[in-house]
Each structure stands twice: as structure tokens, then as C-alpha cells.
Amino acid sequence: MGKKVLIVGGIAGGASTAARLRRLDENAEIIMFERDEYISFANCGLPYYIGETIKERQKLLIQTPESMSKRFNIDVRINSEVIGIDPNKKVVKVKSKDNGTYEESYDYIVLSPGAKAIKPNIEGIDSNKIFTLRNIPDTDRIKSYVDQKDVNSAIVIGGGYVGVEMAENLKEKGLNVTLVEAAPHILSPFDSDIIVTAEKELEDNGVSLILNDGVKSFNDANNSIEVTLNSNKKITADLVILAIGVTPDTSFIKDSGIKLGAKGHILVNDKMETNIENIYAVGDAIEVVDFVNKQNTAIPLAGPANKQGRIAADNICGLNTTYKGTQGTSIIKVFGLTAASTGNNERTLKRLNVPYKVIYVHPASHATYYPGAMPLTLKLIFNDKGKILGAQSIGYDGVDKRIDVIATTMRLGGTVQDLTELELSYAPPFSSAKDPVNMAGYVAENVLSGKTDILTPEEYLEYDKENTILLDVRTEMEFNNGHIEGAVNIPVDDLRNRINELDKNKEIIEYCQVGLRGHVASRILSQHGFKVRNITGGYKSALSLDSIPKKSNNNTDSKKPVINPDTQTVESEVALDSITFDKSLDACGLCCPGPLVQVKSSMDSLNEGEVLKVSATDPGFYEDIKSWCHHTDSELINVSKDKGTITAFIKKNNNNSKLDNTNANLTTKDNKTMVVFSGDLDKAIASFIIANGAASMGKKVTMFFTFWGLNILRKHEKVSVKKGFMDSMFGLMMPRGSKKLKLSNMNMMGMGAKMIRMVMKNKNVTSLEDLIKLAMNNGVEIVACQMSMDVMGLKKDELIDGVKIGGVGYYLGEAEDSNVNLFI
């Protein structure tokens, strides 16, 4: 008779151990205990079954007790919970649903009890409307409740992997979903500069996001449940998913002598052995060694659990296999977006006082000249010896393979120099000749070799700028569409001819859009005797890509609305793949007004009746293209948003095709438009007095607010929104709303503004705030410039309700129909 091995827990680590043991030893007696009814199920797929991406429940069951027993000759005992271990007697105590309580002897034990959802002791936590997700029965309960109880809304507590996946899948089922996270950001393995993009994706797809606010209490209210947050904000839904983390399920071994860590995790060595001879442990219940920093930690991931189970089986069979630590390589789908990471993030390294360097690259997923190239962001963290400490990436395509390549390089002891030498597969539909991984290696290598001196956006914020020049080396058009405040613009292609415009006694801090031209500029300047630093990742990293507006709908069907070019209303629906076109234009990556310029050029080359398909990623393009088509007699067949890309189909019409020739010359342009550039109180009052006067005469009035004028539209109260570092700095410096505006003259440290308000009140002159309300009630269209909002770091949520977001194309379209256009 062979050795007798008891396995406690039949999911990832336990099932992997059992299968490996049998393949190594046909004579071993193997008994697997599982507390629940199911073994070896796909727990990572549970949210997707609830959301019905996975439609067949049976597909979640990788092995059944019957199939496991038949194929591997394993005694699988379900509904059997191990409730104690006695190492002296070498027995375990089992509580069985069918056989009562009994003892089972062993030669070896492998513990794989996993982890259970945390349920804090707070008021109302035991409500039957609160669910956790760990296993198949949990999944069945949630799905049954959602499907049968007429559930329309859900609150997900916790922004980890399970929380985010549940929020997405419940939204996909048609529920109104709110995600609450107590930390400042979701998905803690990622740094905030990366994960803000995923937060925007959630919001763009209709998930309400509440950050930096935990739960104080729950309260059942008839058919719903009310959640009170620490901020005293109250939110209500039909059910709550509690996903605030997991704790090791190890209470049953507390009297066994097996050593546990501070948080209850089982302590093991690199052979997966506990301190008790012949007792091993694997999976989510153990502490592991962090592969990067070599500290003990807990990383509950399925991949490592399966590997640990295999190693435990090897050592029981005398193969002397060791576990080298956990990297924490992970990936998550957030609607159309993908985010992946490996190794340590900045937060972990700072906590451990580990020195490190950071670079960013923002390449395309594949060759940009091949259709469908999507931007991705890749962040590489390394030390001064070139050792890779971690990497993070986010984008719509190609993220997984880049992180997998870097994770593999790290596991094999490679450095950033090795990243430059990797020979990766290339063809235009899949990558570029210089893969993003190679590019990250090149940039990091340049930093280590001293060929470039970089600053991260965070470092720039805290940098002593007293004797510096901030230089923007992008084109004039890019600069005019948004730049870091205080920058001077000398395009890199003009730099050698204009280098005398720069002061060699000052340090040059320069940047481009994503970092490449910035590196070229730094090499030019440094070889001409300048001290220069390049902001890594360029303007794109500095602004953290957090200015994409929310989607107005969550229609994920392949059919999209057809827009009436005259009324801009939905007339019918058409499948996108049924639209034929004669020419396509990829304007992705261009900022306003770049996409419109490209559209006009492309339309000029078309014949009447031909159709242009255009793709753009500039957020304002969605409204701009409607207005452009209306005022150029072009027919907007369709416009839609998907995965951050706006796609429009435009038909070229005869210039006079929509005009009544008999009355065309008699058409009177009688609308009024004004550009409000100033943020001064007196000019704001004047602009709204004029607007209300014109509206009262029956005129259509459009007010286009840009740059400092946007401060007039800010809400008075502070709004919690996610911002990059530069955006936050702008927000602190600018006045928050109309009540904080200064006078253009005689401001007298704010006294002038207070005096003018008092005079207006005494003389019954309407206040600015009431003038704004009156204008909106009178139908005055108030439009905030998207580009200016991007530059100044303002979000739509910070503006008063009723403000429309548009770009220069929208404004010019309104101005075309006006006979008065004021600039204030």
C-alpha cells in the first residue's frame, strides 16, 4: 500500500495537487475533502456567468467529483469539512453531511482551504439583500436573485478584481450599478496614474463610481437596501455585492500547532512545507515570498495556486521542487479596456523604501499605418542596475502580450537591456518593428546610460522651477490645442535654428506628446551645452488621460442610431457592418481641431454621393462632427462611440442640395453667439445680461465658454473627481464658481467683488447666479469648450448642470447662423 495523502480543499490548489500526485504515484491513497458540493470549478469565471457572457453553468465545472474519481482514482468526499488536525495522532477531524463527524488518519496533508470574503461587523451586514461571491452556491444565489426578484439596481462595495468584474457584468445585464471603493482608486495592484483610465471606462459605460468613501451601515428599506457611507451620503439599490477583500479560511487549524502569519495565513517554505512535518499548504490561504522584493506577502491568484499544488505534490513524491515566489502578474477586462500588471507598483516600493526609476511609453498596439491601431500606455519600473521591478499597461488592444513578455523576462532574471534585445513577432496587423516592449527597454536604457535625464510628471510638480525654462517641442497646432501652463513652444524640427532663443544659464525642462520627440530634443540640447530634462511620457502622461467625457448612453448593440442631419435626432437604426463607404480616415490621436481639418480635406477629394468613414479619439469630435455636417451640407449617416473611438459615416452632398433655391438668398441669419473668454465677475455679468436680453427678444443664443471663462460655470462646492497631477494643480489655482470671481479692475483683494454685489442687490440688479439660471430657463445654450477643459483640468462633473460640452466645430457652426458674435 502506498502513502496516504489527505487534501483539504478541492478547488485550484487542491485539485492541482491531487492530479499531479496521481500522475506521479499510481499507488498512493488520495482522499480529497471539499466542504461544498463542487470541486475544481472556474471561480474566476463566476462573474461572467452572472452577467451571461458565459451562458452555460456547466462550463464552469472543470471537474466533477465523479470525473475526478474515475480518471485519477481519487476518493473525493464532498460536503465534508475538515474541522481540526491533530499532528501527534496524525489524524484529521471531519464533519460530513452524510456520515457525521469522524477521524481520518494520514501520512501527508496538503492544505488548500482558500480564502473567504471579508464581512466586517457593521450595522445591517446580515441583510438578505447583501451577497458575497466565492463559490458556485454564491453564484447561484446572486443569479437567482437578479433574475427572479425584478432587480433593477445594484451597489458593489469594493473596487478589487471581483468588485470591478461584478460591476461590469451586472451593468451588462441591464442593472443600474454603483461601485463604492474606500481607497482613492480602484484595483490596488495598479498605480493611480494608470488606473484612472479604467475608472473613466467604468463611468463611460454607465457605472457610477464613488471613491475614497467606505461603508458606515446598511439598512433594509422595504424592497431595497440603503447604504450609508462614511461621508454620510446615502445610496439605495435592490441588492448589494460585498467584495471588499478576502481573509484566509484557516480558523480550523488554530489549535494544530501549524504556524500562521499576522493575518491568519499559513506559513510555508519554498517546498510548500509548513512547520509541521508532512503537512503542506498551497493557494490563497498561505503567505508567499514576493518575487521582486523578497518580503512575505499574500497574493490570492489562481495561477500561483495551481503551480504551488504541483510543487507540493512533487515534494511529497521526493522530487525536491521549489517555489521561487509570486510576481503578482494579473489582468482584468473593464468593458472594452484591458489593464494588466506584473511585479511591484510604486506604492509598494515606496512603502519598502526601495529606490526605483519610472518611464512611460504610449505606443500603438500595432503599426499605425495598418487599420485599427489603438493607443496603449506602458509603464516600466526598474532600478539603477537595470533590474525590472514591475510593469503596468492599459489600453484596448495588445496589453496582455506586452505584460506577459515583461513578466517572462523578469522571471528569467532579465533586465531592461534584455527588453531591447528581445526578438518578438512582427507584422503590421500585430505589432511594430520596434515592439512597445522594445521601446520601453530603449527608453529605460537611455535613462540608465545617461543619454537622457528624465522627470516623471509627479517629480515635475514638486520640482524647483525658479531657474528653469519649460519647453514644449510639439508642433504649433498641438501646442495651441493644449499645453502645460508656462511652456514656450519651439517645435523639435525648428529647434536647431531657434536654439539661440533659449538661455544656457537656465535648466530646460522639455516635453512632447508621448516622449519620443522629447528625447530627440534632449539630445540636441544637451549636445549644444544645455542642461536638460525630459518629462517621460510627455504631455499624455502629464495629463494622465483623464478627460474623456461620460457616454450619454450604454447601447452596446451592433445597431447604432442614424442621425437626422437637420434636427440631429434619431430617425432609425442601422447595423454598422451594413454601411458601405468609399474612403476611410483614421484621425485617432489628433486633438481638436485636427480631426475636422482632416475630415474637410478628405471630403474635398470625394465626389457627390460618396461616403467617408472617419475614426477619431478626440472627445469633442462626437458633437463637432454633427455641427460640421449640418453647416457644410454633408449628410451624417451615423455617429457612434465604442472603446474610446468615435466613428462617423459622412455622405458628400451637392452644396445646394438642401437649399430652396427660390428662398436661399432671403434667409436671414438672426442668431446670437458669444465667446466668453474672461473669468472676471463684471464681464461675466455683462455677458449674461446681453444673453438674457437677446433671448427675451426670441433670438437663439449660444454662449461658448473657453479658458478662464470656464470658471464661471464651475460648481461652488468641491466635487470629488479623478484628476492627474497637472489638472489638480490648475484646480487649486482657479476660482471655484461664479461666487469666487474677481473684478477686472478695483478688485482690492476681493473687496471690490463684494462691493459690486452689494450695490447690485441694493439697486435690485439680478445677481450673476440668478442671471445664469434665468439664461438657462430662457433657452440660452451654454457650451463649455472641450479643449479648454482638457488644458485646465476641468471635468464635466465640476460644471453646473445643463452645460453642454463641445468643440470649435460646434461653435463655428452656431456662429455661421448668427448675425452677432461677441468676444468677451
Side-chain angles (χ1 to χ4, degrees):
M1 187 69 178
K3 59 182 76 75
K4 183 177 182 180
V5 184
L6 307 184
I7 298 174
V8 182
I11 316 303
S16 178
T17 304
R20 176 67 169 173
L21 270 172
R22 177 57 72 219
R23 291 194 297 269
L24 293 175
D25 188 347
E26 182 66 20
N27 296 316
E29 180 184 2
I30 305 171
I31 303 174
M32 178 190 290
F33 298 98
E34 172 52 50
R35 174 172 54 191
D36 297 318
E37 183 179 350
Y38 302 92
I39 66 164
S40 192
F41 59 83
N43 49 2
C44 295
L46 300 181
Y48 299 98
Y49 171 64
I50 293 171
E52 297 184 353
T53 299
I54 299 171
K55 299 188 183 301
E56 297 177 31
R57 182 177 179 274
Q58 190 64 29
K59 290 185 175 180
L60 297 172
L61 306 178
I62 300 170
Q63 287 278 8
T64 64
E66 295 76 21
S67 65
M68 191 84 170
S69 176
K70 184 174 182 180
R71 176 167 295 179
F72 296 104
N73 187 26
I74 293 170
D75 183 358
V76 180
R77 302 180 187 179
I78 58 174
N79 298 314
S80 299
E81 180 180 6
V82 174
I83 58 176
I85 300 175
D86 187 340
N88 295 319
K89 293 172 59 178
K90 298 195 76 171
V91 297
V92 300
K93 194 173 186 178
V94 183
K95 182 180 179 181
S96 170
K97 179 180 177 181
D98 297 325
N99 301 317
T101 301
Y102 65 93
E103 290 185 342
E104 188 74 45
S105 64
Y106 69 85
D107 295 321
Y108 297 89
I109 296 177
V110 179
L111 300 172
S112 181
K116 58 185 178 181
I118 295 173
K119 290 188 71 172
N121 185 24
I122 60 177
E123 182 183 343
I125 192 72
D126 293 324
S127 167
N128 61 7
K129 298 182 183 69
I130 299 176
F131 299 85
T132 58
L133 181 63
R134 181 192 181 192
N135 52 32
I136 295 288
D138 291 342
T139 306
D140 291 339
R141 282 190 290 270
I142 295 172
K143 195 168 191 327
S144 175
Y145 195 89
V146 171
D147 291 346
Q148 299 176 18
K149 297 289 186 178
D150 192 28
V151 171
N152 296 308
S153 59
I155 298 169
V156 179
I157 311 296
Y161 286 95
V162 173
V164 171
E165 289 170 348
M166 281 303 304
E168 175 186 347
N169 280 280
L170 290 173
K171 187 66 186 177
E172 296 282 17
K173 276 187 70 69
L175 275 65
N176 293 318
V177 180
T178 299
L179 177 62
V180 178
E181 170 55 54
H185 294 282
I186 63 172
L187 297 172
S188 61
F190 297 87
D191 290 314
S192 59
D193 51 4
I194 295 294
I195 212 58
V196 290
T197 305
E199 291 168 351
K200 289 196 301 289
E201 183 76 4
L202 285 168
E203 291 183 320
D204 286 350
N205 283 276
V207 174
S208 298
L209 199 57
I210 299 175
L211 300 176
N212 221 13
D213 206 354
V215 176
K216 181 183 292 184
S217 65
F218 300 98
N219 181 46
D220 276 332
N222 297 324
N223 295 324
S224 61
I225 182 167
E226 181 183 74
V227 181
T228 301
L229 304 180
N230 290 333
S231 63
N232 290 321
K233 179 176 182 178
K234 296 181 186 297
I235 52 178
T236 303
D238 297 326
L239 86 159
V240 167
I241 303 294
L242 194 64
I244 59 175
V246 295
T247 185
D249 198 356
T250 56
S251 59
F252 71 99
I253 60 173
K254 62 181 179 180
D255 298 323
S256 66
I258 297 173
K259 287 185 179 179
L260 302 177
K263 296 183 178 180
H265 295 87
I266 303 169
L267 301 181
V268 297
N269 62 17
D270 61 357
K271 295 182 179 180
M272 315 315 299
E273 296 171 317
T274 69
N275 62 300
I276 303 295
E277 186 179 10
N278 293 344
I279 298 182
Y280 295 75
V282 301
D284 294 355
I286 70 169
E287 277 192 12
V288 295
V289 173
D290 186 297
F291 180 79
V292 175
N293 61 54
K294 307 306 179 185
Q295 304 290 311
N296 271 25
T297 187
I299 303 177
L301 293 171
N306 280 280
K307 295 174 180 66
Q308 293 155 12
R310 182 184 177 92
I311 290 170
D314 283 357
N315 285 297
I316 289 172
C317 294
L319 295 184
N320 197 31
T321 308
T322 59
Y323 185 64
K324 305 299 193 300
T326 300
Q327 272 175 253
T329 306
S330 58
I331 190 166
I332 186 169
K333 171 185 175 293
V334 186
F335 291 98
L337 197 67
T338 303
S341 70
T342 189
N344 288 178
N345 58 24
E346 287 194 72
R347 188 167 50 254
T348 299
L349 295 171
K350 287 176 181 176
R351 175 172 55 82
L352 297 175
N353 294 315
V354 176
Y356 66 89
K357 299 178 183 295
V358 173
I359 62 94
Y360 303 85
V361 291
H362 302 286
S365 57
H366 60 245
T368 54
Y369 56 83
Y370 187 88
M374 299 296 291
L376 64 85
T377 293
L378 181 57
K379 176 178 184 177
L380 188 67
I381 307 173
F382 54 99
N383 66 15
D384 58 5
K385 303 295 185 184
K387 178 183 177 182
I388 305 169
L389 303 177
Q392 299 163 47
S393 184
I394 195 161
Y396 291 101
D397 183 38
V399 166
D400 51 347
K401 66 178 179 179
R402 272 70 195 215
I403 288 298
D404 283 346
V405 167
I406 294 175
T408 304
T409 304
M410 291 175 64
R411 179 61 66 164
L412 298 178
T415 64
V416 296
Q417 288 85 359
D418 292 312
L419 296 183
T420 69
E421 298 174 8
L422 292 176
E423 186 176 332
L424 303 172
S425 60
Y426 160 62
F430 305 103
S431 185
S432 299
K434 294 179 182 177
D435 188 87
V437 171
N438 298 136
M439 293 300 299
Y442 293 141
V443 175
E445 187 179 56
N446 285 334
V447 171
L448 293 176
S449 65
K451 290 184 177 65
T452 187
D453 194 357
I454 64 167
L455 278 175
T456 65
E458 298 96 322
E459 290 170 336
Y460 171 74
L461 275 180
E462 300 178 1
Y463 201 69
D464 182 1
K465 306 175 186 67
E466 184 176 350
N467 195 40
T468 64
I469 297 173
L470 181 61
L471 177 64
D472 186 318
V473 299
R474 299 174 299 160
T475 65
E476 184 178 355
M477 184 185 79
E478 290 174 290
F479 181 83
N480 290 336
N481 281 334
H483 56 267
I484 300 175
E485 185 182 19
V488 296
N489 179 219
I490 302 179
V492 65
D493 293 340
D494 300 335
L495 189 55
R496 291 182 182 87
N497 294 330
R498 298 175 58 185
I499 205 164
N500 291 332
E501 296 177 25
L502 300 173
D503 186 349
K504 278 191 176 181
N505 295 316
K506 293 186 176 183
E507 183 179 23
I508 309 297
I509 300 175
E510 52 80 27
Y511 67 92
C512 64
Q513 185 68 16
V514 298
L516 181 59
R517 286 172 291 172
H519 175 62
V520 174
S522 74
R523 296 301 301 152
I524 294 171
L525 291 167
S526 62
Q527 292 180 77
H528 280 79
F530 288 87
K531 182 180 180 182
V532 57
R533 302 195 75 174
N534 182 26
I535 297 179
T536 182
Y539 189 64
K540 194 169 184 179
S541 284
L543 297 182
S544 296
L545 295 176
D546 58 357
S547 57
I548 300 175
K550 295 178 182 177
K551 289 186 178 180
S552 57
N553 60 65
N554 192 38
N555 180 12
T556 58
D557 195 275
S558 63
K559 292 183 177 180
K560 301 293 182 180
V562 175
I563 309 296
N564 183 303
D566 294 314
T567 65
Q568 299 302 320
T569 58
V570 176
E571 284 194 334
S572 61
E573 290 189 339
V574 63
L576 290 182
D577 57 9
S578 71
I579 302 176
T580 58
F581 55 92
D582 301 282
K583 183 177 181 179
S584 63
L585 168 64
D586 185 353
C588 293
L590 296 179
C591 296
C592 174
L596 288 183
V597 173
Q598 295 290 327
V599 167
K600 182 182 185 305
S601 176
S602 295
M603 291 295 287
D604 286 346
S605 67
L606 294 182
N607 298 317
E608 181 183 353
E610 292 184 328
V611 174
L612 173 70
K613 175 187 177 183
V614 56
S615 300
T617 51
D618 175 62
F621 185 73
Y622 190 79
E623 293 296 334
D624 286 352
I625 195 60
K626 295 179 185 178
S627 179
W628 186 90
C629 288
H630 178 62
H631 291 95
T632 59
D633 283 331
S634 300
E635 181 182 347
L636 183 57
I637 299 172
N638 174 274
V639 61
S640 63
K641 300 178 186 177
D642 182 45
K643 296 183 179 180
T645 299
I646 299 158
T647 303
F649 293 86
I650 310 162
K651 183 177 179 181
K652 184 170 183 176
N653 291 328
N654 185 290
N655 287 339
N656 298 319
S657 62
K658 293 190 292 182
L659 295 177
D660 183 342
N661 291 330
T662 60
N663 296 318
N665 295 328
L666 301 178
T667 301
T668 301
K669 296 182 178 181
D670 201 25
N671 297 341
K672 316 297 175 188
T673 57
M674 60 179 73
V675 178
V676 184
F677 176 87
S678 173
D680 295 331
L681 174 62
D682 43 339
K683 295 174 184 175
I685 293 170
S687 65
F688 275 97
I689 289 174
I690 295 170
N692 279 300
S696 67
M697 297 170 63
K699 312 300 182 185
K700 181 186 177 184
V701 182
T702 300
M703 302 177 74
F704 191 76
F705 289 79
T706 185
F707 286 97
W708 311 118
L710 290 170
N711 292 315
I712 302 169
L713 305 181
R714 291 183 75 182
K715 292 177 180 175
H716 306 304
E717 69 276 8
K718 185 175 181 180
V719 178
S720 178
V721 292
K722 301 164 294 304
K723 290 190 175 186
F725 293 95
M726 296 302 299
D727 296 350
S728 298
M729 185 171 68
F730 269 112
L732 292 172
M733 293 189 296
M734 295 187 300
R736 185 181 292 122
S738 59
K739 294 180 181 179
K740 300 290 185 180
L741 303 180
K742 65 178 181 65
L743 283 181
S744 57
N745 292 299
M746 297 171 56
N747 188 51
M748 298 181 292
M749 300 181 68
M751 288 302 298
K754 292 180 180 178
M755 289 171 62
I756 195 68
R757 284 181 178 273
M758 184 182 299
V759 170
M760 291 172 66
K761 183 177 181 181
N762 292 338
K763 296 189 177 183
N764 293 319
V765 178
T766 308
S767 70
L768 173 57
E769 291 70 40
D770 287 339
L771 284 170
I772 294 173
K773 291 179 184 177
L774 181 62
M776 289 183 164
N777 291 337
N778 283 338
V780 173
E781 191 172 53
I782 297 178
V783 183
C785 173
Q786 175 70 64
M787 184 272 291
S788 298
M789 289 175 66
D790 293 350
V791 172
M792 301 179 74
L794 291 177
K795 307 294 174 289
K796 187 176 181 181
D797 287 349
E798 296 181 87
L799 304 184
I800 58 178
D801 295 336
V803 174
K804 189 172 186 176
I805 308 299
V808 65
Y810 185 82
Y811 158 69
L812 292 174
E814 294 300 307
E816 182 71 20
D817 288 339
S818 300
N819 61 359
V820 172
N821 184 35
L822 301 177
F823 188 91
I824 299 176

